[in-house]
Amino acid sequence: MATPIQYCGIEYPSLKRLFESKAAKGITYAAVIARLSSGWELERALTEQLSKNTQRKYVVEGRRYSSLKTLSQAAGISYQAAVKRMHRGWTDEEILNGRRSANAEKRPKEKKPRGMPVQVNGVTYENLRHAYDSLQPSVSFNAVRARLRYQWSVEEALEATRKIDGRKANHRVKRLTLNGATFSAKEAAERFNIPYSTVLDRLSRGATAEQVIGVAPIAPGDLISQAEAYRGRKARIKKTYIVDGATYKSIPELANAYGLSPQLVYNRMRDNGWSAKRAVTEPISEPVTVNGTTYRSAMNAWDAIGQTTFTTFTARRTNGYPLEVCLGLEPLPSLERYELHGKTYGSIAEVALAYDLTAAQLRSRLQRMSLEEAVDYSPSNGRYSEAVFNENPALAQSIGRLYFVRISLPSGTLHKVGITQREVSQRFHGFMYQTVAEYQGALFLLYQIEQKVLAEFRDYHYRADDDFEGKTETFLLMDDEEMEMLRFVALLASNQGYSDSHT
């Protein structure tokens, strides 16, 4: 039921009726809601006209930044983090430099700091955060905490001591000797113009140095089979989950048995530390109804039918837009004009025409991008396969990247393994993610590693509903399963002579 509202001594049955009666021309109802949510006075929200220049400028200590993205780059933070700071009402200076707690000056000096004391190379710090702020490693504080979870020492995590990568140890490098000269597998491949994978395979199967480089024939029976050569890998012990006497081989199987989203169950168990039974029996509250269908919560509705990214969804919710607008099912109110790269356009259709796009394409991108990002976005629709590489040897030998990333979603963490010819940051532009591992090398060899990973961990496959490519190459993993996949990827990569370029 609508709440009556007083304005200029007159009572209106709802804010909507007040808007229809008193709002100045050109101001939309959604704009009034957003202004009130941001703390505007009612009269100002109803009457103040939109600025003709819709592109906000950011100024800190006399220096001007043309966009929030430019400001985020200067601050050394992600664009999503800058958006969150802006939505929380931070000033331009606070977005750039961070915000100090309002109670920092009032906090008694004798109050014990949070966290346990940390000792790094003989120096004791109040807590891990104090050590991080003092030593200023090149990674984020969350990355430091993740390193500690992966059993790094405190010195290694804070980069006070260099971490030795055991995967690069010389005893793991395959070598061969010809006429008194010793070559690594990679050197032999380059010297004798033989595919690197062929050299590794022949060495692993017992070929002589001459057979490896092709100057001596390989007769039937000279080499052991690939099954024998690679049989030594220790089989993984798969976990099971028992609820009310029933055993489930995986969390997706458990979730499906109770009619729940696998992501929700993963989130409850991994992030909240719930037992398997509680994860599937705990009820979900705050139902919402959209287009006649009732969902357990607004987040559940977004997960099921949302067309926006999580960042866009939460930003619109914060600004007070109706749920349908937050979900992307209804459009945002149109602006009177759009400023882009120094030019003014009267509509989205005009912007789309200027950048050789359709209006539908541009509106779709605006669900998860700024206007500047939407017109510059260059999607990659390529798909790799054995046939593609056989038809295009140059592509097979081109430099690519194999990535293993975590993608943050409202219902938990999604993992993805894939290959790309772009930077990983470009591949996941517009998404909140963390890189677990990254390898650079010949695209075809990385493709082979990717396929082995997908086959080995097929039980954890999960088809994501989120709007990014390669949906079938995603996984839902607990922390120990993530570590197992990381070890498996690292083993395959080290066999090809690749080291993790992310660590």
Side-chain angles (χ1 to χ4, degrees):
M1 182 175 179
T3 302
I5 186 170
Q6 291 278 344
Y7 180 72
C8 295
I10 301 175
E11 183 176 289
Y12 295 85
S14 65
L15 177 61
K16 181 72 172 179
R17 293 291 297 275
L18 171 60
F19 165 78
E20 293 170 348
S21 301
K22 295 296 183 180
K25 184 178 179 180
I27 297 177
T28 64
Y29 182 57
V32 172
I33 293 177
R35 290 174 171 185
L36 293 174
S37 299
S38 301
W40 286 35
E41 294 181 357
L42 181 57
E43 182 176 0
R44 182 186 172 204
L46 289 167
T47 59
E48 185 168 312
Q49 292 292 340
L50 293 170
S51 171
K52 291 186 177 181
N53 182 4
T54 60
Q55 187 174 8
R56 176 182 167 185
K57 303 295 183 182
Y58 300 84
V59 181
V60 179
E61 296 180 355
R63 182 172 180 181
R64 298 175 63 85
Y65 299 89
S66 60
S67 66
L68 184 58
K69 184 175 183 181
T70 305
L71 183 62
S72 69
Q73 292 171 343
I77 60 176
S78 68
Y79 178 70
Q80 289 78 13
V83 171
K84 285 186 177 180
R85 291 181 178 184
M86 183 185 69
H87 288 158
R88 290 170 183 161
W90 291 28
T91 65
D92 296 354
E93 182 177 358
E94 289 171 338
I95 294 175
L96 179 66
N97 300 318
R99 171 180 282 185
R100 189 171 181 178
S101 171
N103 297 322
E105 299 297 333
K106 301 177 183 179
R107 188 180 295 122
K109 293 183 179 179
E110 68 274 11
K111 187 173 180 180
K112 184 178 179 180
R114 295 179 62 185
M116 299 293 292
V118 172
Q119 192 171 69
V120 182
N121 291 338
V123 179
T124 301
Y125 300 89
E126 293 178 349
N127 50 36
L128 182 62
R129 185 76 206 198
H130 181 208
Y132 175 83
D133 292 339
S134 300
L135 297 174
Q136 297 183 346
S138 62
V139 297
S140 68
F141 183 62
N142 284 340
V144 170
R145 294 197 296 181
R147 289 174 173 181
L148 293 174
R149 290 199 302 271
Y150 295 151
Q151 308 304 313
W152 290 35
S153 70
V154 175
E155 287 81 3
E156 291 170 343
L158 291 166
E159 300 179 356
T161 300
R162 182 176 179 182
K163 179 173 175 59
I164 299 175
D165 189 350
R167 291 168 296 180
K168 300 178 183 177
N170 289 333
H171 74 276
R172 299 287 299 275
V173 178
K174 296 183 182 296
R175 300 184 180 278
L176 66 158
T177 301
L178 285 165
N179 300 326
T182 301
F183 303 90
S184 68
K186 194 166 188 177
E187 290 169 342
E190 295 172 351
R191 175 71 177 273
F192 299 103
N193 195 27
I194 300 173
Y196 180 53
S197 57
T198 300
V199 175
L200 286 175
D201 181 66
R202 290 176 180 175
L203 285 174
S204 299
R205 296 169 64 192
T208 66
E210 290 75 13
Q211 288 174 324
V212 169
I213 66 172
V215 297
I218 300 176
D222 282 355
L223 307 184
I224 63 175
S225 68
Q226 289 184 329
E228 292 177 285
Y230 306 121
R231 186 181 295 156
R233 190 176 72 242
K234 185 178 179 180
R236 293 183 296 108
I237 301 176
K238 297 182 179 180
K239 295 172 60 176
T240 57
Y241 305 88
I242 301 176
V243 177
D244 293 335
T247 301
Y248 303 92
K249 294 185 293 184
S250 65
I251 291 182
E253 182 179 340
L254 170 64
N256 292 334
Y258 284 84
L260 297 173
S261 161
Q263 283 183 271
L264 173 65
V265 178
Y266 266 95
N267 179 43
R268 289 178 162 185
M269 294 179 65
R270 177 180 51 224
D271 298 340
N272 300 339
W274 292 8
S275 67
K277 182 172 182 177
R278 182 183 177 188
V280 295
T281 57
E282 187 86 10
I284 302 173
S285 57
E286 299 182 16
V288 297
T289 300
V290 181
N291 295 336
T293 302
T294 300
Y295 301 90
R296 294 188 297 268
S297 65
M299 286 295 183
N300 181 250
W302 175 82
D303 191 43
I305 59 174
Q307 303 298 315
T308 56
T309 64
F310 177 55
T311 302
T312 301
F313 172 75
T314 53
R316 292 182 180 181
R317 293 275 287 175
T318 301
N319 286 329
Y321 287 109
L323 181 57
E324 288 77 7
V325 174
C326 299
L327 294 170
L329 304 179
E330 293 183 3
L332 282 167
S334 299
L335 299 176
E336 292 183 350
R337 56 196 300 158
Y338 297 83
E339 299 264 345
L340 182 64
H341 299 157
K343 293 185 178 180
T344 301
Y345 302 90
S347 66
I348 285 293
E350 287 186 21
V351 178
L353 182 62
Y355 287 88
D356 197 25
L357 298 168
T358 66
Q361 281 178 314
L362 187 52
R363 289 193 181 95
S364 176
R365 294 179 185 179
L366 287 174
Q367 298 284 14
R368 61 184 179 91
M369 304 177 188
S370 68
L371 186 59
E372 294 91 339
E373 294 167 338
V375 298
D376 294 333
Y377 175 66
S378 178
S380 174
N381 297 316
R383 292 294 182 268
Y384 302 115
S385 66
E386 293 274 357
V388 168
F389 287 122
N390 288 335
E391 294 173 1
N392 192 343
L395 176 65
Q397 296 300 319
S398 64
I399 298 300
R401 290 174 175 79
L402 170 73
Y403 56 80
F404 178 19
V405 299
R406 301 183 208 98
I407 304 172
S408 298
L409 297 172
S411 54
T413 301
L414 184 70
H415 293 77
K416 178 166 172 57
V417 172
I419 57 175
T420 181
Q421 290 181 284
R422 295 179 282 169
E423 296 286 342
V424 175
S425 59
Q426 295 174 332
R427 172 66 180 81
F428 292 99
H429 182 71
F431 297 94
M432 297 181 67
Y433 77 97
Q434 288 181 312
T435 301
V436 180
E438 180 182 340
Y439 297 89
Q440 183 171 313
L443 196 59
F444 178 58
L445 296 180
L446 297 179
Y447 168 79
Q448 292 179 314
I449 294 175
E450 176 202 36
Q451 295 305 303
K452 290 177 181 178
V453 174
L454 299 181
E456 178 71 15
F457 291 86
R458 59 184 175 275
D459 292 340
Y460 303 111
H461 277 186
Y462 178 76
R463 185 172 181 84
D465 294 326
D466 295 85
D467 184 21
F468 54 82
E469 305 158 17
K471 294 182 179 180
T472 57
E473 296 150 16
T474 56
F475 303 87
L476 287 169
L477 304 173
M478 300 293 284
D479 288 343
D480 56 338
E481 295 164 348
E482 177 187 303
M483 282 300 301
E484 188 63 33
M485 182 179 286
L486 178 59
R487 294 189 191 100
F488 186 75
V489 173
L491 175 63
L492 296 178
S494 64
N495 286 341
Q496 297 288 359
Y498 299 145
S499 59
D500 190 349
S501 60
H502 172 64
T503 56

